[in-house]
Amino acid sequence: TFQRQLQQSDCQNVLMKKVFDTHMLFLQINQSAAALKHVFAALRLFVGKFPSAFFQGQADLCGSLCYEILKCCNHRSRSTQTEASALLYFFMRKNFEFNKQKSIVRSHLQLIKAVSQLIADAGIGGSRFQHSLAIINNFANGDKQMKNVNFPAEVKDLTKRIRTVLMATAQMKEHEKDPEMLVDLQYSLANSYASTPELRRTWLESMAKIHARNGDLSEAAMCYIHIAALIAEYLKRKGKINIFKTSCISINII
């Protein structure tokens, strides 16, 4: 009924945000597995009708959806895990098609960002989540329509990167009583995102949450200072400010 209004400004409008938030509410409030099945079906229809809301303009809606779907990939119900994995695969496929079969850059970036956030917020990474990643890879390998394009390889690369982040986090868990080793591992992972400031910022925010939770407030403050430096460097490159003389990569957060 309101399709024309929803599509205004390439789907970047207040009404679209309200409709999207209503969909997200169904994922944020505990639902039965039967109810979630219908929620996932509604989201597939929503993404299919309004792909530009997620893959064009600001990335807020894309990031929020990735975060909530990944949470469901860690659900205790196997059927919900499968449904969430199918929706996530569909979402990445739509991103690939929207970009004229060139890449899934946006969904890739937002999913890695969401994983980094969920590590601090919900502690994902166990067997249930690994099972969901395997389901997504199986979808990619069995998708005959995508056999002759690079989409399956991109999906495989994404799930590999997610596993790398999870493995690094598991190593941190093993050394949580060794502050020096823990900080070294965290610093190495943050540095691995040097070429992608948004992801680096996300991991630094996760580090800050962990430090604050452990009562290490000075370390948390250093993470936030580094985030501020990243933002300042970005603004300088955009010509917005001219007060930042040192690259944030050279700032020692340890």
Side-chain angles (χ1 to χ4, degrees):
T1 304
F2 297 97
Q3 188 162 338
R4 183 176 58 81
Q5 292 93 323
L6 287 166
Q7 290 176 330
Q8 286 180 353
S9 303
D10 292 324
C11 296
Q12 308 294 315
N13 58 71
V14 175
L15 182 60
M16 174 60 74
K17 182 68 168 62
K18 288 182 178 179
V19 174
F20 174 77
D21 287 346
T22 303
H23 279 82
M24 289 300 94
L25 197 61
F26 284 107
L27 292 179
Q28 292 161 355
I29 298 174
N30 287 334
Q31 308 283 351
S32 68
L36 280 173
K37 186 174 182 179
H38 294 290
V39 174
F40 291 135
L43 282 168
R44 281 195 297 272
L45 181 62
F46 187 62
V47 173
K49 273 200 162 195
F50 306 104
S52 58
F54 302 95
F55 309 127
Q56 192 169 301
Q58 295 184 345
D60 296 355
L61 301 191
C62 181
S64 297
L65 182 58
C66 288
Y67 183 89
E68 295 300 336
I69 298 175
L70 283 174
K71 276 176 64 178
C72 292
C73 286
N74 203 44
H75 200 275
R76 62 182 177 275
S77 165
R78 275 297 174 96
S79 63
T80 298
Q81 288 177 40
T82 303
E83 289 283 348
S85 301
L87 175 58
L88 195 55
Y89 179 77
F90 173 81
F91 187 72
M92 290 188 287
R93 198 175 189 271
K94 278 295 176 185
N95 189 184
F96 189 72
E97 292 170 353
F98 187 83
N99 287 344
K100 299 179 180 178
Q101 298 194 342
K102 291 179 181 178
S103 70
I104 56 169
V105 172
R106 173 162 290 193
S107 54
H108 183 125
L109 178 66
Q110 294 303 319
L111 282 166
I112 294 291
K113 181 179 176 182
V115 168
S116 301
Q117 290 172 330
L118 282 165
I119 286 169
D121 296 345
I124 63 169
S127 59
R128 291 184 298 200
F129 193 75
Q130 295 289 351
H131 176 70
S132 294
L133 293 179
I135 292 173
I136 292 168
N137 272 327
N138 288 338
F139 279 132
N141 293 331
D143 194 338
K144 294 181 180 179
Q145 292 182 331
M146 292 290 165
K147 188 176 181 180
N148 298 319
V149 293
N150 66 338
F151 178 67
E154 291 211 25
V155 172
K156 186 177 180 179
D157 178 62
L158 173 58
T159 55
K160 183 180 178 181
R161 287 176 182 271
I162 290 174
R163 286 194 173 99
T164 299
V165 173
L166 295 174
M167 285 173 62
T169 307
Q171 284 183 308
M172 291 176 196
K173 190 72 175 174
E174 291 175 12
H175 295 93
E176 62 184 352
K177 294 182 180 179
D178 183 348
E180 291 184 0
M181 178 62 78
L182 179 60
V183 169
D184 187 55
L185 289 168
Q186 290 176 329
Y187 185 61
S188 297
L189 188 55
N191 273 349
S192 71
Y193 294 145
S195 61
T196 314
E198 188 173 355
L199 292 181
R200 195 175 192 195
R201 174 189 171 180
T202 300
W203 183 246
L204 287 167
E205 286 174 341
S206 294
M207 287 173 61
K209 288 179 183 178
I210 294 168
H211 282 313
R213 196 160 56 220
N214 293 335
D216 301 324
L217 301 183
S218 60
E219 286 84 352
M222 286 302 296
C223 289
Y224 287 121
I225 289 170
H226 198 90
I227 291 168
L230 277 170
I231 294 170
E233 188 174 83
Y234 173 80
L235 291 174
K236 182 186 177 183
R237 289 177 180 174
K238 287 287 187 179
K240 304 288 186 182
I241 59 172
N242 193 28
I243 59 172
F244 202 60
K245 295 182 179 180
T246 304
S247 170
C248 62
I249 294 173
S250 66
I251 295 175
N252 190 343
I253 63 169
I254 296 179

